Amino acid sequence: MPLRFNSLLAQAGIASREVRLLRHQDSHSLKGRTPYELWRDNRPAFEFYQDGQSIGNRMKLTAPFWASFVVTPAGETMLAGFYACRYVGTNEMVRQWPHAVGFDEVGAADVYELTLDARLSDLAGRLIIEWGKGGRAWIQRADNQDKEVLEIRQAFREPEFPGFAKFISSLLQIEGLPSTWAATLGASRGIYLLTCPKTREQYIGSATGADGFHGRWMSYRDGHGGNEGLKSRDPSDYQVSILEVAGSAATTQDVLDMEALWKRKLQSREMGLNKN
């Protein structure tokens, strides 16, 4: 039988009915400022991020304890901390968001006092659970959702690179990828696919430079990466994936020929964003 999160709570003497499960994954996060990256790189900013919540979620969040999880670059749901929770009231000062451009006006957000509970502190950064299909339901009751424990690692580590064929990311997340992923992508060249979540259109590009896929994708920080087809459009957080990796002996012209073939296969000139 698989290990369940509620069994860990019971072993620690914690009633599951008193626990709310929070899964932090914020689509409005700036580059390098996702909840996972805040937890990894700037713990005070992460704590500030989660102790201010929408007033509309007050009833869902009312509980003595929060088990807070963050989504890793590999899509894993990892325990960030187990907290004793006390509702304080609405914010008495403007709260600047630590993850995005914006703020909560006075009285526009609920504020909670969160204190790390030592009973599960050793599992933070190590415990991976299966959240299930309800990714949008980021607040859940532990007693109604007994999550399966997928792994308890010996120590916190960055998730392993999933492989070129399985790699999928948004361009906004490229800057915050684990260093080992960035190194792997930077050492490889080939053909990639961008898809626009707004229009469902696609763009096929090639990475031929010394910094490989990672260097090419980082050039899209200006919104278009020098591409004429993308310059003519409103900025979008494109999803990026890899279609083909070039061999170590491939020349720049070989990669460009691969790119042209993929454009013909997917008809990205006729039905996409490629202009050449």
Side-chain angles (χ1 to χ4, degrees):
M1 290 181 60
L3 178 64
R4 299 284 178 175
F5 184 68
N6 285 357
S7 297
L8 297 177
L9 292 176
Q11 292 173 20
I14 304 166
S16 60
R17 66 179 181 276
E18 296 185 336
V19 179
R20 298 297 175 265
L21 310 174
L22 282 67
R23 184 176 186 263
H24 297 299
Q25 183 182 35
D26 201 310
S27 61
H28 299 100
S29 298
L30 298 173
K31 295 177 182 178
R33 307 291 290 178
T34 66
Y36 168 80
E37 289 162 326
L38 292 179
W39 177 86
R40 183 190 65 191
D41 304 329
N42 189 341
R43 207 62 62 85
F46 173 74
E47 302 292 359
F48 186 77
Y49 166 80
Q50 72 162 351
D51 67 24
Q53 298 289 339
S54 168
I55 294 175
N57 287 325
R58 185 182 301 169
M59 293 301 298
K60 295 179 182 179
L61 291 170
T62 299
F65 300 102
W66 289 1
S68 294
F69 296 83
V70 290
V71 179
T72 72
E76 302 165 320
T77 302
M78 182 188 76
L79 182 67
F82 186 76
Y83 299 86
C85 174
R86 183 179 72 87
Y87 174 67
V88 176
T90 57
N91 57 312
E92 298 179 352
M93 300 177 63
V94 171
R95 290 175 55 93
Q96 295 289 335
W97 298 342
H99 67 296
V101 176
F103 60 89
D104 292 316
E105 296 180 352
V106 173
D110 277 341
V111 177
Y112 296 83
E113 180 182 77
L114 301 175
T115 306
L116 283 169
D117 190 303
R119 286 175 289 182
L120 293 180
S121 62
D122 64 319
L123 294 177
R126 300 173 51 223
L127 176 70
I128 308 296
I129 67 168
E130 173 59 55
W131 188 260
K133 296 181 179 179
R136 293 186 177 181
W138 66 276
I139 306 170
Q140 297 184 11
R141 293 178 59 105
D143 53 345
N144 291 340
Q145 300 287 338
D146 193 4
K147 305 296 186 182
E148 179 182 352
V149 174
L150 298 180
E151 185 179 2
I152 300 179
R153 295 169 178 163
Q154 290 186 345
F156 168 71
R157 68 173 187 269
E158 293 280 22
E160 295 181 0
F161 183 66
F164 296 108
K166 294 182 179 180
F167 178 83
I168 300 175
S169 178
S170 73
L171 283 177
L172 285 178
Q173 293 177 322
I174 294 301
E175 192 169 352
L177 290 178
S179 58
T180 53
W181 294 31
T184 299
L185 293 167
S188 306
R189 301 175 301 148
I191 312 305
Y192 59 88
L193 173 68
L194 299 183
T195 53
C196 177
K198 298 178 181 178
T199 66
R200 306 297 191 266
E201 293 177 290
Q202 59 190 18
Y203 169 84
I204 293 171
S206 60
T208 59
D211 294 326
F213 287 113
H214 189 264
R216 179 65 182 118
W217 296 339
M218 288 291 286
S219 72
Y220 285 103
R221 284 179 291 186
D222 61 6
H224 53 74
N227 177 264
E228 294 300 324
L230 302 185
K231 283 182 180 180
S232 64
R233 306 169 55 77
D234 292 333
S236 179
D237 184 17
Y238 296 95
Q239 176 180 283
V240 61
S241 58
I242 295 172
L243 296 175
E244 187 174 358
V245 178
S248 58
T251 66
T252 296
Q253 188 58 51
D254 291 335
V255 178
L256 294 177
D257 291 342
M258 292 161 55
E259 179 186 16
L261 178 59
W262 276 105
K263 289 176 181 177
R264 293 200 300 273
K265 284 183 178 181
L266 299 183
Q267 294 184 280
S268 62
R269 296 186 184 94
E270 297 83 0
M271 298 184 291
L273 299 172
N274 288 105
K275 300 302 181 183
N276 60 354

